[in-house]
Amino acid sequence: QDNGSSPDRLVIYSPNSEGLINSTIPAFEEKYGIQVDLIQAGTGELFAKLDSEKDSPVADIVFGGGYTQYSMHIDLFEEYVSPENDNVIAAYQNTTGFYTPYTLDGSVLITNPDILGDIEVNSYEDLLNPELKGKISSGDPSNSSSAFAQLTNMLKAKGGYESEEAWAYVEALYTNIDGKISSSSSNVYRAVADGEMAVGLSYEDPVAKLIEDGGNVEIVYPEEGVVFLPASAAIIKGASNQEYAEKFIDFIISQEIQNVLSTTTTNRPVREDVETNDVMKPFAEINALEEDMDFVSENRQDFVNRYNDIFVKTQSN
Amino acid sequence: MTQINISHAKKVFDDVTVIPDLNITINEGELFTLLGPSGCGKTTLLRMIAGFNSIEGGDFYFDADRINDKDPSKRNIGMVFQNYAIFPHLTVRENVEFGLKQRKLDKKVVRETAEKYLKLIQMEKYMDRKPERLSGGQQQRVALARALAINPAVLLMDEPLSNLDAKLRVDMRKAIREIQREVGITTVYVTHDQEEAMAISDQIAVMKDGIVQQVGSPKALYHRPANEFVASFIGRTNIVMAELKHSNEGVAELHLQNGHVVVYPKLNHLSDQTVRVSIRPEDFIRVEQEASLNTFVGKIEDSVYLGLNTEYVVALSDGHLVQVTEESSFEEDLTVGEQIALTINTDKINVYCAEGLTNLSEVK
Amino acid sequence: MTQINISHAKKVFDDVTVIPDLNITINEGELFTLLGPSGCGKTTLLRMIAGFNSIEGGDFYFDADRINDKDPSKRNIGMVFQNYAIFPHLTVRENVEFGLKQRKLDKKVVRETAEKYLKLIQMEKYMDRKPERLSGGQQQRVALARALAINPAVLLMDEPLSNLDAKLRVDMRKAIREIQREVGITTVYVTHDQEEAMAISDQIAVMKDGIVQQVGSPKALYHRPANEFVASFIGRTNIVMAELKHSNEGVAELHLQNGHVVVYPKLNHLSDQTVRVSIRPEDFIRVEQEASLNTFVGKIEDSVYLGLNTEYVVALSDGHLVQVTEESSFEEDLTVGEQIALTINTDKINVYCAEGLTNLSEVK
Amino acid sequence: MKNDKRLRLDMWGIAGIVILVTYILFLIYPVGNILKQSFYSTSMGFTLDNFTKFFSMSYYSNTLLNSFKVSITATIFAFIIGTLLAYLFAMFDFKGKKLLRILIIIASMSAPFIGAYSWILLLGRSGVITRFLSQFLGVQTPDIYGFSGIVLVFTLQLFPLIFLYINGAFKNIDQSILEAAEGMGVTGIKRFMTVVLPLLMPTVLAGSLLVFMRAFSDFGTPMLIGEGYRTFPVLIYTEFISEVGGDSAFASALAVIAIVIALSIFMLQQIVSLRFAFSMNALHPVSTKKVKGLKKFWVYVISYGIVFTAVLPQLYLVYTSFQNTSGMVFQSGYSLNSYREAFSRMGNSIFNTLRIPFFAIIIVVLFAVFISYLAVRKRNTVTATIDSLSMIPYIVPGTVLGIAYLTSFNTGVGGTGFLSITGTTAILVISFAVRRLPYTIRSSVAALHQISPSIEEAAQSLGSSKLNTFFRITVPMMMPGIIAGAILSWITMISELSTSILLYTVNTRTVTVAIYTEVIRGNYGIAAALSTILMIFTVLSLLLFMKVSGKDDISL
Ligand SMILES: Nc1ncnc2c1ncn2[C@@H]1O[C@H](COP(=O)(O)OP(=O)(O)OP(=O)(O)O)[C@@H](O)[C@H]1O
Ligand SMILES: Nc1ncnc2c1ncn2[C@@H]1O[C@H](COP(=O)(O)OP(=O)(O)OP(=O)(O)O)[C@@H](O)[C@H]1O
Ligand SMILES: [Mg+2]
Ligand SMILES: [Mg+2]
C-alpha cells in the first residue's frame, strides 16, 4: 500500500499536458533525487478526488488548474508562500497564501483557415457573423473552466461583468453558436483542428501547441482584449511529504524552470526575467485585460445562472 | 426395505384440486403400479412422494418417518422422469455415474457399477455420447439406468419404458423386476400400459380423476373389477344392459338386451333390478351355428388383426355392437358380413349395478 | 394423395452410418408404419422425409417431385415429434391454431377447426392452459391435434401415442385412422408397439440397424416373417433348433432338439440340413397328458398373468425353455412345477435356414 | 420446484445474507453516503429543493427527455441488429464466425475518448468517409453530432451485448420446436416472430434492459459528440466534476433520479418477463444449416457488413496508431514511433489490466451465479432486494461510485479504519466487480429461466445435495449464459475508466488509465497505440478463453 508516506517520494496530482509535465517533473526528480508518483486526470476529477480524500490525503501536491477551482477549495490546501514568490510578476503572485501561480493562460480564438475561407475573424465581434452560425465551437461555461474564462473575458472586453450590453453580446454570440456546445474544453480546439468547426473559443496553450505540432490552425487574440489567468499549484493539507512539496513549489517558479517553460513549451511564464517562445505573440503586442478575480469568484454562480438562461432561450427558438 | 404410507393426500394446482383425498399403503419390497387415464394424477402423486410437488394436505410416511418436509435428496429415492430429465451436458456414462458419485463410492466401484447398468440397458456402445446424439428410446434407457444404479430404498418410475419397442420393454421390465426383487426395493411404477402393469406388478392401483378406484393384484383387477370404470380400463369389455330377474325357482337370470338369457345363480340373493353386465371380448365364445340352445347370433361388422388375436366387432340381433376376440389363424378368416353364433362364458362375466359403481357379483 | 418414393437413402451422423441404403415405396393414402428396435433409425428416416435431417445419399420423391432439397415448410407435411415439441409459450388452443393460421383461413374457421380437433383428443377442457401445466399424455395429444389439424398431404408421426393409456390409445388410433382414411393422407407412422402397428397399418416396414428387413401387411409379417429377427420382433417366438430330414418316402420331417418329430411336407423339396424353427407361444397347444402320439411333455417354470392371456415358461425334456401362451381363466391355474403335455400347430410355424436369414417355409 | 417464500437458514439463506451484507457494505453505505446530501442541506435539514430545481427548470429536465429518446432509440436498433446477427449465427453455417465473434466483442469495447473520437475522424464534418462520399459520390451524409450520432455510436457499441446474450440463449431452444413450426409452413421472419422471439424473450428483455440502462447512463459518447444535445448522465457528470464549481447536492439528486428510473424500469422488466417464463428441456439444441444461393449472399453481406461497420472506429484507431504524430496532430507518413513510446510508458499497467479484472471476474462470476439462482429459484423479499440492488451500480455513474468509494473508505467504514482500502488493489477490484456484475447476473438469470427444473429434480432424486446439484448440474447448464455475461463483464472491466481514474494509484494504473492520461497530455498517437495494444490484449484473452474452454463459440 502506497499512500505517499515513503520518504523519497512525492505524490503529484496533475491535469497538465505533455510539455509542462516533461519540462518539470523529470528535472525535479533529478535535482532532488526524489521519485514523483504522478496521478493524471482531468481537473474536475482531480479536485473531486482531493475533496473525497481530505480526511486522509494521498497527494502532496496538486499541480495545475485555474484560480476558480483553487478558490473554491481553499480548505484542502496547506498554507505556503514560496521564497521565490517575490520574483513573480506582481499580479500573479501568491496572495492568498495557499496556491502558487506558475504559468499564464490567455483566452484566445482558434481558427481553421480551410474552413473559414475568407471570413475574417479578429475579434469577438467578428463571431457574430451570420456566416459562422453553427460553426463556432465553444465549451459549456457552466462546467468548463476555459469556457467560463472566455465568458468573463468577453464580458470584461465588452463592457464589464454587469453591463447589459456585454450580456447582450453573450446572448448574440450563443445564438450564433446555435447550441453546438462541446462538453469539454479539449473538444473545442480538437474540433477546429480536425476541421469540424471553423472557430473555437479556446485558450492559448493547446492552440499554440497545435500550431507548433503542425496543426492547420491559427491563433487569434481578440482585439477587444485578452484576459490572462494563472494556472496554480498548491500543497495538500496534511500532506505527508511537506518538505519535498515545498521544494516542488519553489522549483516550478524558479527562474530556471520558468525559463524552460517559456522557451520549450507553449506556456507563458509568471516571471518577467525569462525568455519567451516564438510561437506565441509577445505580451506587449496583446491587448491584455485583467480579471477581477475576487468579484468573479464571488459571483460565479450568478454568471453561470445567467448563461444557463441564455442557453435555454437560444435553444427554445 | 421401506413401507410407504400415504393418508389423506391432497394436491391443489392453482385452485384446481387434482388429488382430493388419497390413501394408499405400499408394502415393503412391493412393486406397486399406478394405472389410470392420461391426466388422472399419476405423475402428480409420484412427484409428491419424491418431494418435488408441494403437499397441500395429508401425511406421507416412509416407514415411521414422516417425509412431508424432508428434502428430496435425503429420501433415498431413485426416480425415472416421464420426460427423462437426463443431464444434457453430461455423457451417457456421466449421467449414470452422477448418482453413484454422490454416494462417495470408490472411483473404481462407480465405474464398474455404471458399466454394469449400461450393459443391462444395452447401451454400453453409446457410453461416451452426449444425450443429444441418442434416439428417444436410448435416452429413456439412460434415465432408467441412472435411477437403478444408485440402488435406492424407494424407486419411482414414471412411464419408464414408454418409448421402447416391445422386445426391449420385456427385457427391461424383467431387469427392473429382478433388481427390484433382489434388493427388495419398494417401487412405485406409473404406466399406461396395462399389459406391462399386469406383468410387472405385485399390486395395482387404478386411479381416475385423482381418486383410487381399486387396489389389487393384477388378477383380481382383471377378473373382478370393482366397478365398470376399472373393468373397461383394464382390458377391454363390453357393457350390456340386462334385467336381473328370478325364475320361479328363485334362480337369478340375466335377461340381456338382445333377448338372450343367462342363468346366473350367484345373484340369487339380490332383488330384481336393472343391471349392467360386463363381458370381456374373449368371454364370447364362438360356436357352430345353432349348435346349442344357449347361443345367439350376430353379424361381423369389422375385424382387426392383432397378431396373436383378432378382434371382431359383432352386431347383435338388436343392433348393439360388441367386441369379440379370438385367437388368430392364418387360413381361416371370418369376413365382414358373415353370420356367427356366440355363447357367453358366464363364469367370467361381472355384473354391476345400474350406475356401474358396484360389482354385484362380488357382494356376498 | 401423395406417393412417397425413397431410393438408396443414406444417412451418416459424424462418420457413423445410421442408414446405409434404404428403399421404400409408400403408396398414396396408405398408412405405413416403421417398426424396429430402439435406435434402429426410425426417427432418422422420418426426419429425412420431413426435411429436418440432411440426406447423405439417395433420392426422396413425393410423387414425381424430388424433394431432397425442398424446404420442409414447402413439403406440406404434418409432423408429430417424439418429444412432442409443442410451443411452450402458447396455450393449448394456440398450439393447435398455429398451423391453421398460416393457411390464411378465416378466423372463425381457425377457431372451429382447432376446437374440433381439441374435442377429438379430449382436451377441450384444457384449451387455455399453457403446456407446462399439462400432464405428459395431455402434451402428447396436443402435438397430435396440432399435426392433424392442418390436414397435410403427408402425415409423419413419431410415436404419437407412447404416453397414452390403453383406452385412449385405442380411441386416438381410431381417430387417426378415420381422419387419415377420410382425406386419404399418406401417413408414415413410427411406433414401438407392435399391437398398435398391427391395428393401424396398411403396411409395416420392420427395420434393424437402418436396414429394412421386411415390408408387408400386418398379417403377412406375423405369420410369415421373412427372417428370424422379424419373427421374434413381431410378436414373441420360440426358436428351436432342428434337423431337416427326409423320411424314406421323401417326406420332410423336422427333428426338434428335444427329440420331437414334426412332419412338415412343405419342405419336401429341400435337402437335409440344420434349420431353426420358429414356434410362437400360442402355437404350442396344451393337450391332455399323453392324449395323442404327437405330443411331448414339459414342466412349468414360471407363469405371468397378462389378463386376457397367461404366459408360461416351460422347460422341455432336454432342458430348453420355451414360452407358451394360453388364454387365462380365473379358476383353473397351472402352477409352477406342474407337468404338461404339448403339441405344435404345425400350420403356423416357420422354418429358417441355419443362419436365421431366410424363411424356408416360403421358398417354393 | 417448491417456491418457498420464507427465508431459511440453509445454504441459500446464508448465501443470501452474505451477498446482502456485501451490498450494504460496498453499495448502500458508500453510495448512500454521497446521495444523502441530495435530501439534506446544512442550512435547512431535510429538503427536496434539489429535486424541485431539477423538475422546474427545463434546462435540466429536458436532458432527461433527451436521454430517454436516445436510449430508447439506441435500444431498439441494438436489439434489431444484435438479434438479427445472433439469429444468423445460430441458424446458418458460414465462414469466419470465429473471427466475427471476436470482432463483435471488440466492437463493444471502446477505448476512452479515442474510441468515439474515431467516429468523428471518420464521419465528422471533415471525416474521412464524409469527405470521400461528398467528393467522389456527391452524397451528403447526415451529421454525426447530436441525436443521430449518439444513437449511431450507442447502437454499434451496444448491439454486441444483445448478440452475446441471445447467442447463448439459442443453446436452450430445442431444435424440434423450430422444426415443428417449419413443418407447418412457418419459416423465416414469420417463424422468428411467432416462435423464436417469444422463446428468447427472457433473454431479449434482459439484454435490452442492460442496453437501455447503459445508454441511459453513458456520458462519454454524448459528451464527445452530443454538441449541445444535453443528456442526463452528462449533466450528472458535469455537476459532480464541474471545473466551475458544480453543486454536488444537486448532482446527488440527479443520481437519485437516475437510480429511481433505473429501478422502475428494472421492475417493469421483471413483471414483463414473468409472462414469458417457461422452461425448456433442450436435448437437441438448435443446429446450423448450410445456405445456398441468394440467401447465402445476404447472410454474408449482412453479417460481415454489420460487424465491419461496428469495428470501423477500432480499425481506424489501429490505423492511426501507425501514423506519425506530433503531439495532438497526425502527420503524414507511418512509423512505429507511437508504439515505441507506448511501451516505454506502459510500466506495470498491462499487468494491472490483467490482474485487477482477473480478481474481479472471479467475484463477478461467483456472485452472479448465486444471485441469479436466488433471484429465480428462491425468490423472496430478500433475494428480490438483492436482485434489484445489483442493478444500481450499473446505472450509478462510475464517477459517482468512485467518489463514493474514496469518501467512504478513505479512513475506513465510518472513519473507524476498518476497510480503509483507498489506494489498494482491493478497492479497484471491488468497484470493478460491483459495477460489472449486472452483465453476468442478467444473462445468468435469463439462462436459468430457460432451464427446466426437472433436471435439478433429477439430480436431487439421485441423492445430490443442493450445493452439489447447483454446481454440477445447474451451473454447467447455465454456462452459456454465464459466459456470455462474463465476457461482457470482462471486456468492460478491461476498458473501465470512470471509476478507476479516481481510484488508481501509481501501482494500480491500468492501460485504460494510461490511454486517458495520454489523451490528457495531448499524445494521441501514443493513446492510439496503447488502445491497439489493449485491443490485441483483449483478443488474446478471448482466444485463450476459447482454447481453455475448448469451444470455438465464445458464448459456448
Ligand atoms: N444427432 C445424432 N448424432 C449422432 N448419432 C445420432 C444422432 N441422432 C441419432 N443418432 C443415432 O442414430 C441411431 C438412430 O437413431 P433414431 O433416433 O433414428 O432411432 P429410433 O429408431 O428413432 O429409436 P427410438 O425408438 O429409440 O426413438 C441411434 O443409434 C442414435 O444413437
Ligand atoms: N403444474 C401444473 N399446474 C396445473 N395443473 C397441472 C400441473 N401439472 C399437472 N396438472 C394437471 O393435473 C392433472 C394431473 O396431472 P398428472 O401429470 O399427474 O397426470 P398423469 O396421470 O401423470 O397423466 P399422463 O399419463 O398423461 O402423464 C392433469 O389434469 C394436469 O393437467
Ligand atoms: Mg404423467
Ligand atoms: Mg425415435
Side-chain angles (χ1 to χ4, degrees), chain A residues 210-232:
Chain A
L210 274 168
I211 294 168
E212 204 178 58
D213 289 345
N216 181 26
V217 291
E218 285 168 5
I219 190 163
V220 174
Y221 297 87
E223 286 167 356
E224 291 93 336
V226 178
V227 169
F228 284 86
L229 295 175
S232 302

Side-chain angles (χ1 to χ4, degrees), chain D residues 82-153:
Chain D
T83 313
L84 176 67
L85 215 51
Y87 181 78
L88 295 182
F89 270 64
M91 304 299 294
F92 303 114
D93 236 2
F94 56 90
K95 291 209 177 65
K97 274 192 187 174
K98 187 170 170 178
L99 172 74
L100 287 187
R101 271 204 187 90
I102 291 179
L103 289 182
I104 290 172
I105 294 173
I106 292 301
S108 76
M109 71 177 286
S110 140
F113 287 79
I114 287 281
Y117 181 49
S118 291
W119 278 117
I120 295 180
L121 296 180
L122 286 168
L123 285 178
R125 298 185 186 100
S126 301
V128 180
I129 296 178
T130 319
R131 264 186 319 198
F132 175 83
L133 288 179
S134 69
Q135 274 174 19
F136 294 97
L137 303 171
V139 179
Q140 215 52 47
T141 46
D143 207 347
I144 176 89
Y145 295 96
F147 177 81
S148 50
I150 299 174
V151 168
L152 175 79
V153 175

Side-chain angles (χ1 to χ4, degrees), chain D residues 128-352:
Chain D
V128 180
I129 296 178
T130 319
R131 264 186 319 198
F132 175 83
L133 288 179
S134 69
Q135 274 174 19
F136 294 97
L137 303 171
V139 179
Q140 215 52 47
T141 46
D143 207 347
I144 176 89
Y145 295 96
F147 177 81
S148 50
I150 299 174
V151 168
L152 175 79
V153 175
F154 276 169
T155 303
L156 291 176
Q157 224 170 66
L158 298 179
F159 86 85
L161 208 147
I162 303 250
F163 169 82
L164 278 181
Y165 273 30
I166 292 190
N167 203 28
F170 260 109
K171 305 286 181 302
N172 281 323
I173 293 184
D174 198 287
Q175 172 84 21
S176 63
I177 290 177
L178 300 188
E179 290 169 353
E182 197 173 357
M184 283 182 286
V186 181
T187 48
I189 182 89
K190 191 149 193 188
R191 179 175 68 174
F192 180 79
M193 297 308 287
T194 53
V195 179
V196 179
L197 193 58
L199 293 177
L200 292 173
M201 219 41 172
T203 311
V204 165
L205 287 171
S208 305
L209 173 82
L210 287 182
V211 169
F212 177 86
M213 287 198 181
R214 174 87 178 271
F216 193 82
S217 61
D218 184 89
F219 66 88
T221 303
M223 211 144 133
L224 202 62
I225 58 175
E227 255 196 8
Y229 194 84
R230 295 156 45 88
T231 63
F232 193 60
V234 174
L235 184 64
I236 300 181
Y237 177 79
T238 52
E239 287 296 331
F240 263 112
I241 298 294
S242 177
E243 295 174 355
V244 186
D247 179 350
S248 59
F250 180 56
S252 297
L254 299 179
V256 169
I257 293 169
I259 290 171
V260 169
I261 291 170
L263 285 182
S264 322
I265 287 167
F266 177 64
M267 304 286 180
L268 192 73
Q269 183 256 12
Q270 297 265 293
I271 294 167
V272 176
S273 40
L274 271 191
R275 289 195 44 231
F276 293 99
F278 35 75
S279 53
M280 279 172 284
N281 189 1
L283 279 176
H284 297 275
V286 176
S287 55
T288 54
K289 268 198 215 159
K290 285 209 171 63
V291 274
K292 290 196 197 91
L294 196 63
K295 213 167 174 185
K296 183 170 175 176
F297 172 77
W298 282 116
V299 167
Y300 276 91
V301 167
I302 294 174
S303 50
Y304 278 81
I306 293 173
V307 176
F308 181 72
T309 313
V311 293
L312 209 53
Q314 259 77 0
L315 293 182
Y316 192 73
L317 196 58
V318 174
Y319 165 77
T320 55
S321 71
F322 293 104
Q323 268 187 309
N324 283 329
T325 53
S326 153
M328 286 182 275
V329 181
F330 290 106
Q331 313 283 2
S332 59
Y334 305 93
S335 71
L336 290 174
N337 288 337
S338 296
Y339 285 93
R340 238 165 266 137
E341 265 305 300
F343 279 111
S344 76
R345 293 182 180 208
M346 258 179 344
N348 58 354
S349 63
I350 268 277
F351 176 59
N352 283 329

Side-chain angles (χ1 to χ4, degrees), chain B residues 13-14 16 36-39 82 126 129 133 135-138 141 159 161-170 173-174 192 194-195 198-199 218-220 222-224 232-233 236 282-283 304-309 323 325 327-331 333 347-348, chain C residues 13-14 16 36-39 82 84 126 129 133 135-138 141 159 161-170 173-174 192 194-195 198-199 218-220 222-224 232-233 236 282 304-309 323 325 327-331 333 347-348:
Chain B
F13 278 123
D14 339 304
V16 183
S38 173
Q82 190 166 11
Y126 302 105
R129 282 217 187 158
R133 296 177 50 214
S135 78
Q138 288 164 342
R141 280 179 276 163
E159 315 249 8
L161 310 177
S162 63
N163 271 282
L164 304 186
D165 58 272
K167 229 172 117 70
L168 204 53
R169 276 169 94 91
V170 173
R173 81 189 183 209
K174 263 199 202 126
H192 59 264
Q194 30 141 328
E195 187 193 298
M198 296 274 181
K219 208 171 216 172
Y222 193 80
H223 283 286
R224 285 290 169 255
S232 58
F233 192 76
R236 288 167 218 189
E282 71 268 22
D283 295 342
V304 182
Y305 180 81
L306 296 178
L308 172 50
N309 300 303
Q323 289 191 317
T325 303
E327 196 171 309
S328 328
S329 64
F330 198 32
E331 291 80 20
D333 208 0
D347 282 354
K348 287 167 84 179
Chain C
F13 278 123
D14 339 304
V16 183
S38 172
Q82 189 165 11
Y84 323 154
Y126 303 104
R129 282 219 187 155
R133 294 176 53 215
S135 78
Q138 288 164 342
R141 279 179 278 164
E159 314 249 7
L161 309 177
S162 63
N163 271 282
L164 304 184
D165 57 89
K167 231 174 113 69
L168 205 52
R169 275 169 95 90
V170 174
R173 81 188 181 208
K174 266 199 200 124
H192 59 265
Q194 31 142 325
E195 189 193 296
M198 296 275 182
K219 209 170 215 174
Y222 193 80
H223 283 287
R224 285 289 169 257
S232 57
F233 192 78
R236 286 168 220 188
E282 70 269 22
V304 182
Y305 178 82
L306 294 177
L308 171 51
N309 300 304
Q323 288 190 319
T325 303
E327 196 171 309
S328 327
S329 65
F330 199 33
E331 291 81 19
D333 208 0
D347 282 354
K348 288 168 82 179

Side-chain angles (χ1 to χ4, degrees), chain A residues 18 21 40-41 45 49 53 56 72 143 145 179-181 183 187 190 194-197 213 300 308, chain D residues 59 117 124-126 145 223-224 227-228 237 243-245 326 331 345 410 502 504 516-517 521 523-524:
Chain A
E18 185 76 2
I21 296 288
Q40 288 196 278
E45 280 144 1
K49 191 165 158 74
E53 290 169 345
S56 165
M72 284 183 309
N143 59 58
S145 54
K180 300 260 164 42
I181 303 290
S183 304
N187 282 352
R190 207 177 318 165
D194 294 337
E196 299 290 300
M197 290 289 191
D213 289 345
R300 198 185 58 240
N308 284 349
Chain D
Y59 176 72
Y117 181 49
R125 298 185 186 100
S126 301
Y145 295 96
M223 211 144 133
L224 202 62
E227 255 196 8
Y237 177 79
E243 295 174 355
V244 186
S326 153
Q331 313 283 2
R345 293 182 180 208
N410 191 25
L502 287 169
Y504 89 94
Y516 182 60
T517 314
R521 293 174 131 197
N523 300 321
Y524 294 170

Side-chain angles (χ1 to χ4, degrees), chain B residues 42-43 82 158-159 190, chain C residues 135-137:
Chain B
K42 305 180 293 291
T43 300
Q82 190 166 11
D158 199 350
E159 315 249 8
V190 170
Chain C
S135 78

Side-chain angles (χ1 to χ4, degrees), chain C residues 8-79:
Chain C
H8 303 295
K10 182 173 178 184
K11 176 73 211 170
V12 182
F13 278 123
D14 339 304
D15 299 346
V16 183
T17 304
V18 173
I19 295 178
D21 179 19
L22 187 141
N23 299 285
I24 273 181
T25 302
I26 301 167
N27 294 320
E28 293 183 355
E30 188 171 76
L31 197 153
F32 190 96
T33 298
L34 299 174
L35 196 65
S38 172
C40 72
K42 306 180 294 291
T43 300
T44 304
L45 180 61
L46 206 66
R47 289 170 52 84
M48 287 167 90
I49 299 174
F52 299 133
N53 270 354
S54 62
I55 296 171
E56 268 73 48
D59 300 301
F60 285 67
Y61 283 96
F62 279 5
D63 293 330
D65 193 10
R66 186 168 181 277
I67 53 155
N68 284 44
D69 296 316
K70 198 168 187 176
D71 215 67
S73 61
K74 305 225 170 68
R75 296 185 186 195
N76 194 13
I77 51 167
M79 177 144 178

